[in-house]
Amino acid sequence: LFPHMSVRQNLTYGGDRDFDTLVDLLGLGDLMDRQPAGLSGGEKQRVALGRALMRGPDVLLMDEPLGALDKQLREHMQFEIKHLHEQLGVTVVYVTHDQSEALTMSDRVAVFDDGRIQQLASPEELYERPQNSFVAQFIGENNRLMGHVDKLDGDNSIVTLDSGEQSSALAVNCGEAGSRTLLSIRPERIRIGDQAKENVTKAKVLELIYLGDHIRCRMDVHGDSQFIAKIPNSPESQRVYVGQDLNIGWAAEDCRALNAE
C-alpha cells in the first residue's frame, strides 16, 4: 500500500469499479480515513485486494498473498477471498505452496513439478484420486507401501509388498504384472481393530497425538515406522494405546497402485 495515502486514496488510485459496492463487500467502510500504518495485517490485505479489484480486471493473479499472516488470520482471509471471488465472478489464479490452502480456495488445482503440470483437477479429485505418486505425496498426508504387481484384473490389482504380504488395490498407473509399484493410502481410510475387514495386517502403535476431532496414530506397519492412521474422536472409535499390537486394514478402493518413484 502507498504509506502516505489514506485507505480511500489507496482504493481509488487508478480504479474505475463501483467504489461503494466494493467497500461493502470487503467490509472497509470504517477504515476510509485510516493510514496503512494504523491497519492490522488482515485489514491491509483487504485494502490491497480492493485496490487491485478497483481496476476491474478479468483475471487477478495472487502470488502467496497470505504467507506473512498468522494461521488464524490466514484461514479467515482464505474464506474472504473465496467468497469475494464468488460474488464478483473474477477469475483468480492463486499461487501457493500450502496444500490445504489450495484445497480450501480452488475450483481447480494445478500441481506442478519441475515446471510441468502433473495433474489439473478439482480439489476432491486431486485428493481422492491422484493420478501419480508425486501428486499423492504432494497433496495431503499419505501412507506409502512399496511392492510389485502380481496380476491385473480390469481396474483391480494384486500387489505383493516388499514385506511379503499381499494387498488388493485400484490399478491406476502401476504398469503391467511384474512392475514395481507404490501403494497410496490416506490415513483417514485406515480401519482399526474390528473395523478392519479387508487387506488386514498387523500394526504396532508407536505414538498418539491428540488433535481434537481426531487422534493421529503413528504405527509400525511392514517395517514402516511412519505409517499414519487418523482415528476419529468419537464414542464409536476404538481406543488404542502406545505399544499396542492390533489389526488394521483398508478397502481396495481406498488404496491406489501408482507408479514407483
Side-chain angles (χ1 to χ4, degrees):
L1 300 178
F2 298 119
H4 61 288
M5 293 184 178
S6 68
V7 168
R8 182 185 303 277
Q9 290 168 327
N10 266 282
L11 286 173
T12 56
Y13 184 81
D16 56 9
R17 187 184 284 273
D18 186 333
F19 179 82
D20 292 333
T21 298
L22 192 59
V23 167
D24 288 342
L25 284 174
L26 288 166
L28 297 174
D30 295 333
L31 305 178
M32 289 296 97
D33 297 323
R34 301 261 294 273
Q35 300 295 119
L39 302 177
S40 68
E43 289 169 344
K44 288 178 181 177
Q45 288 288 2
R46 294 208 307 273
V47 175
L49 180 58
R51 188 173 65 184
L53 290 170
M54 278 293 294
R55 296 175 177 270
D58 294 321
V59 180
L60 185 63
L61 172 63
M62 296 187 182
D63 190 356
E64 301 200 66
L66 308 181
L69 304 182
D70 62 59
K71 182 177 185 296
Q72 188 172 7
L73 183 55
R74 185 168 64 247
E75 291 175 351
H76 176 73
M77 285 299 300
Q78 287 173 12
F79 291 114
E80 283 209 10
I81 292 172
K82 183 176 178 67
H83 295 156
L84 192 65
H85 159 257
E86 292 169 351
Q87 293 178 70
L88 294 178
V90 176
T91 297
V92 178
V93 178
Y94 195 100
V95 181
T96 179
H97 285 86
D98 186 325
Q99 292 95 330
S100 63
E101 187 169 82
L103 294 178
T104 297
M105 300 185 66
S106 302
D107 298 308
R108 291 193 300 165
V109 182
V111 178
F112 283 82
D113 179 33
D114 197 23
R116 295 178 180 272
I117 295 179
Q118 298 296 312
Q119 190 171 347
L120 174 62
S122 68
E124 180 183 2
E125 181 79 11
L126 279 180
Y127 187 85
E128 300 289 351
R129 292 175 287 280
Q131 291 301 305
N132 59 48
S133 56
F134 179 84
V135 175
Q137 295 305 308
F138 189 79
I139 298 292
E141 198 166 20
N142 187 60
N143 292 308
R144 306 154 30 112
L145 294 172
M146 300 300 300
H148 66 268
V149 180
D150 270 350
K151 65 178 181 178
L152 298 172
D153 181 12
D155 292 334
N156 298 313
S157 66
I158 301 297
V159 173
T160 297
L161 303 173
D162 289 348
S163 63
E165 296 193 40
Q166 287 191 326
S167 176
S168 54
L170 287 176
V172 180
N173 68 343
C174 55
E176 300 298 324
S179 301
R180 290 286 288 170
T181 186
L182 179 148
L183 296 189
S184 167
I185 317 154
R186 297 295 187 190
E188 63 272 17
R189 303 299 188 187
I190 304 299
R191 297 294 174 256
I192 304 290
D194 295 339
Q195 294 182 338
K197 307 293 185 183
E198 191 177 350
N199 294 314
V200 179
T201 190
K202 295 291 184 183
K204 185 179 186 67
V205 178
L206 301 178
E207 182 182 39
L208 297 172
I209 299 177
Y210 178 81
L211 292 170
D213 61 340
H214 73 277
I215 311 297
R216 188 176 187 272
C217 177
R218 182 170 65 87
M219 53 185 66
D220 188 307
V221 177
H222 299 309
D224 178 6
S225 63
Q226 300 300 317
F227 197 96
I228 304 297
K230 291 182 178 178
I231 305 173
N233 185 12
S234 67
E236 296 78 22
S237 296
Q238 178 177 329
R239 296 307 178 206
V240 299
Y241 56 86
V242 173
Q244 181 180 6
D245 294 308
L246 75 167
N247 287 335
I248 67 168
W250 51 85
E253 60 264 27
D254 292 331
C255 181
R256 300 174 70 80
L258 304 171
N259 58 300
E261 294 180 307

